[in-house]
Amino acid sequence: MQIALISDTHLTPLEPAFDANLRAARQWVSGHAIDLTIHLGDITADGAVRPDELVHAAAQLDEWPSELRLIPGNHDIGDNPGETAKTLVSPQRLDRYEAVFGWGYWAEQAQGWTLIGLNAQLLGRCDAAEAEQERWLDALLPAITGPVGLFLHKPLFRDGPSDTSRHHRYVPVEARDTLLRRLAAIDLRFVASGHTHQSRKLHIDGTEHVWVPSTAFVLPDAAQERIGDKETAMLLLTLQPDAHHFTLVHPAGLVEHDLIDHVHVYPDQAAALRALGGQ
């Protein structure tokens, strides 16, 4: 089975260049034998505060050339609780997202695998929406017998499960630890996440952790620590009955934009980005 992974498309009527990069990804998917595409969140540039972008993004993704699964990111529904969170998840934002794209978590059976998509933005909220996702997951896990792949917007950690530093780049520590305890009894082979706009692979205790880069843009080093590789790209996941393999893909026509050159998409951050870029 061939699965295309895309993330952080940041679709918006404000920036046709990001939409054009999605079209390059679509063209690549159309030209290959892709069975499923999974979008790892930040579908929109800021649909959490500009709801029209949810509708705009859905139009760009309409009639996708493979089956399509999506999970929301912080720019789609808001962020986890935390000191640096600017826009928090709310019931209204969740409702708006679900009205356009459906539930933010799901499970899929493929080649003897169970693929699980989780709404990382709910983790650590301690509210009814997080409890509902937990009940769904607790009902799913006991029936799983084969290998498992997990998809969510944010990485679980930077370098390993012993990390305790808090950063909006990662799932909140307590929620992460609770999730890992829930998953301890299954054969978790990989965790794929977006959000960082960087590509990276880690192998920890038999589980591969991959960061899927953005198709839209990279962030300048002055604005974001360089941990992995900063590039615009997508990943191809090949599944066999008891094996998997990730391949980095650079579709023809996918331009490596730098957010410094597109500050109008985030007007509340524009001054800071221009200062970082020396403009």
Side-chain angles (χ1 to χ4, degrees):
M1 184 176 188
Q2 301 276 81
I3 302 174
L5 303 181
I6 60 174
S7 192
D8 297 85
T9 51
H10 290 259
L11 301 172
T12 173
L14 298 174
E15 187 45 82
F18 299 166
D19 292 1
N21 270 7
L22 177 71
R23 289 195 295 274
R26 175 198 287 267
Q27 187 66 29
W28 187 90
V29 170
S30 181
H32 294 75
I34 301 301
D35 302 291
L36 172 67
T37 300
I38 298 176
H39 195 310
L40 293 169
D42 280 359
I43 306 164
T44 64
D46 216 4
V49 296
R50 298 192 294 254
D52 62 298
E53 292 187 350
L54 297 170
V55 178
H56 172 82
Q60 308 307 303
L61 293 164
D62 191 36
E63 297 184 1
W64 192 260
S66 74
E67 183 184 352
L68 179 63
R69 289 281 200 173
L70 305 99
I71 49 179
N74 52 295
H75 283 287
D76 304 317
I77 62 171
D79 214 342
N80 313 87
E83 294 180 4
T84 61
K86 296 179 180 179
T87 304
L88 293 174
V89 179
S90 70
Q92 294 78 16
R93 291 185 171 113
L94 272 175
D95 288 347
R96 288 198 298 254
Y97 175 90
E98 290 174 358
V100 177
F101 294 114
W103 271 18
Y105 49 92
W106 45 263
E108 182 106 4
Q109 301 297 319
Q111 295 282 299
W113 288 71
T114 300
L115 307 179
I116 301 173
L118 287 184
N119 184 345
Q121 306 315 116
L122 298 181
L123 299 177
R125 284 183 52 77
C126 301
D127 66 355
E130 183 181 20
E132 183 179 6
Q133 179 171 250
E134 288 176 345
R135 286 192 296 270
W136 172 85
L137 184 61
D138 287 342
L140 173 70
L141 293 177
I144 295 175
T145 56
V148 177
L150 176 65
F151 303 87
L152 68 173
H153 181 58
K154 289 186 174 184
L156 294 175
F157 41 69
R158 172 178 168 144
D159 296 317
S162 62
D163 290 356
T164 58
S165 59
R166 301 176 187 277
H167 195 286
H168 64 83
R169 187 182 297 121
Y170 311 111
V171 169
V173 173
E174 293 83 359
R176 175 202 71 196
D177 292 346
T178 298
L179 176 61
L180 288 174
R181 285 194 293 270
R182 275 191 162 87
L183 301 176
I186 63 172
D187 183 11
L188 182 62
R189 300 288 183 88
F190 66 80
V191 179
S193 57
H195 187 54
T196 64
H197 290 243
Q198 301 185 41
S199 61
R200 191 185 189 205
K201 292 183 181 180
L202 293 170
H203 290 82
I204 301 171
D205 297 329
T207 301
E208 184 173 17
H209 296 259
V210 297
W211 294 5
V212 181
S214 169
T215 64
F217 58 83
V218 298
L219 293 121
D221 288 351
Q224 182 205 47
E225 179 185 12
R226 183 182 290 266
I227 301 172
D229 294 323
K230 294 190 175 184
E231 56 192 333
T232 53
M234 52 189 289
L235 260 61
L236 173 65
L237 167 60
T238 302
L239 286 185
Q240 296 175 332
D242 195 40
H244 74 277
H245 180 71
F246 290 100
T247 305
L248 192 67
V249 175
H250 296 89
L254 191 72
V255 179
E256 187 166 299
H257 299 292
D258 190 311
L259 185 56
I260 278 292
D261 301 317
H262 303 271
V263 294
H264 60 280
V265 175
Y266 296 105
D268 60 330
Q269 303 173 40
L273 284 167
R274 288 193 182 98
L276 289 169
Q279 298 180 11

